[in-house]
């Protein structure tokens, strides 16, 4: 298609509106924005556009080169800055938007790199701490193993003395327990004997009282019988 001034102005306005420079150069996102610009152009009835994503991207480079050449030639011819057209102003604004986009992407990239470096530094610290802890654990285990080895290397006499002391201590405890049990049994037996004696004494007293009452009853009956016989005579 033939690009007229009207085509170029509408085209540059749409570039500023969509701003493909907000996305990283060469990214899928920027490609999608250029596709959006091409679709916007092709949807117009007047002026008529027949463009593709690639053609709208390449046409901007063409316009920028023409603008730079024009500015340079006019400055060299007159020595003063030439009067700018609407297209010139739009191209300058596009250039500024492009520069801002690059700076923002560089800043984002720098921040991402700093974040990555910080995460890497933290990971290194964790790894270093883990290695130091592992080394300390290994050293401690080695010391404990050495102590155990030393204990295992004790002489047979020390082991015999230890077992003998342990046996005597256990024997002493068992002896004390048996003495306590015997004492408790003796107390229980004495208590039982005392209870039996008390019960026996109480039973004897009851029997004596019963016998006394029986004797008294017999005497009373005899007296009553004698009195009755005397009365009958």
């Amino acid at each position: 298609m033939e690009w007229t001034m009207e085509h170029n102005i509408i085209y540059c306005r749409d570039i500023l509106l969509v701003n493909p420079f907000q996305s990283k150069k060469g990214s899928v996102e920027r490609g999608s924005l250029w596709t959006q610009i091409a679709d916007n152009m092709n949807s117009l009835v007047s002026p008529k556009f027949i463009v593709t994503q690639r053609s709208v991207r390449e046409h901007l480079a063409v316009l920028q080169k023409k603008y730079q050449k024009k500015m340079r030639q006019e400055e060299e011819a007159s020595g003063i800055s030439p009067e700018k057209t609407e297209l010139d102003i739009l191209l300058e604004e596009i250039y500024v938007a492009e520069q801002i986009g690059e700076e923002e992407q560089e800043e984002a990239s720098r921040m991402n790199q700093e974040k990555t470096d910080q995460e890497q530094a933290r990971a290194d610290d964790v790894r270093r701490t883990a290695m130091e802890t592992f080394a300390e654990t290994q050293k401690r285990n080695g010391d404990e193993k050495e102590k155990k080895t030393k204990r295992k290397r004790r002489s047979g006499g020390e082991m015999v003395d230890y077992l003998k002391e342990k046996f005597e201590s256990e024997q002493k405890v068992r002896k004390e327990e048996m003495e306590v049990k015997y004492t408790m049994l003796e107390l229980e037996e004495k208590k039982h004997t005392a209870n039996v004696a008390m019960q026996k004494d109480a039973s004897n007293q009851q029997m004596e009282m019963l016998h006394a009452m029986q004797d008294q009853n017999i005497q009373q009956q005899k007296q009553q019988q004698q009195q009755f016989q005397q009365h009958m005579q």
Side-chain angles (χ1 to χ4, degrees), residues 119-135:
E119 292 177 351
Q120 183 63 41
R122 284 196 294 269
D124 291 341
D125 289 340
V126 171
R127 189 180 300 106
R128 183 166 50 254
T129 302
M131 292 300 295
E132 291 174 354
T133 303
F134 177 75

Side-chain angles (χ1 to χ4, degrees), residues 50-230:
I50 303 175
V51 293
T52 63
Q53 184 212 72
R54 180 177 179 179
S55 66
V56 292
R57 284 191 292 108
E58 292 177 347
H59 188 64
L60 177 60
V62 172
L63 290 178
Q64 288 175 333
K65 287 181 179 179
K66 288 182 178 181
Y67 167 74
Q68 292 172 359
K69 183 178 180 180
K70 172 188 172 184
M71 292 294 105
R72 186 168 55 253
Q73 289 176 348
E74 291 184 359
E75 286 181 2
E76 291 175 354
S78 61
I80 59 174
S81 298
E83 186 177 352
K84 297 178 181 179
T85 64
E86 181 180 359
L87 180 60
D88 295 338
I89 295 172
L90 290 171
L91 288 171
E92 288 181 354
E93 291 178 355
I94 290 173
Y95 174 78
V96 172
E98 191 172 2
Q99 294 300 311
I100 292 173
E102 289 180 358
E103 290 177 359
E104 290 178 349
Q105 291 158 26
E106 289 177 359
E107 179 65 17
S109 178
R110 184 184 63 80
M111 292 181 65
N112 289 334
Q113 185 61 43
E114 288 181 356
K115 183 178 179 181
T116 301
D117 293 342
Q118 291 175 358
E119 292 177 351
Q120 183 63 41
R122 284 196 294 269
D124 291 341
D125 289 340
V126 171
R127 189 180 300 106
R128 183 166 50 254
T129 302
M131 292 300 295
E132 291 174 354
T133 303
F134 177 75
E136 292 175 358
T137 302
Q138 289 292 94
K139 184 177 183 300
R140 183 170 60 254
N141 291 339
D143 294 341
E144 291 178 355
K145 185 177 181 181
E146 184 178 356
K147 291 179 180 179
K148 290 180 180 179
T149 303
K150 289 181 178 179
R151 286 198 295 267
K152 289 180 180 179
R153 292 177 179 176
R154 286 179 177 176
S155 64
E158 291 180 350
M159 183 60 67
V160 171
D161 292 340
Y162 167 75
L163 293 175
K164 182 179 179 181
E165 182 179 353
K166 181 180 179 183
F167 175 77
E168 291 176 351
S169 177
E170 291 176 351
Q171 284 289 94
K172 182 179 179 181
V173 172
R174 282 195 291 268
K175 183 178 179 181
E176 291 176 353
E177 290 177 351
M178 292 300 296
E179 289 178 353
V180 171
K181 288 182 180 179
Y182 287 143
T183 302
M184 294 297 295
L185 288 174
E186 289 178 358
L187 291 175
E188 289 292 331
E189 186 176 356
K190 289 180 180 180
K191 184 177 179 180
H192 177 70
T193 302
N195 289 334
V196 171
M198 289 177 63
Q199 291 177 358
K200 186 176 181 180
D201 291 342
S203 178
N204 291 335
Q205 290 178 1
Q206 289 178 355
M207 290 298 295
E208 289 176 357
M209 290 177 63
L210 180 61
H211 290 158
M213 291 177 63
Q214 289 177 349
D215 292 340
Q216 186 177 2
N217 289 333
I218 291 173
Q219 291 296 330
Q220 288 178 355
Q221 289 177 0
K222 286 181 178 181
Q223 290 177 359
Q224 290 176 357
Q225 187 176 6
Q226 289 177 358
Q227 290 176 358
F228 178 75
Q229 289 177 355
Q230 290 176 358

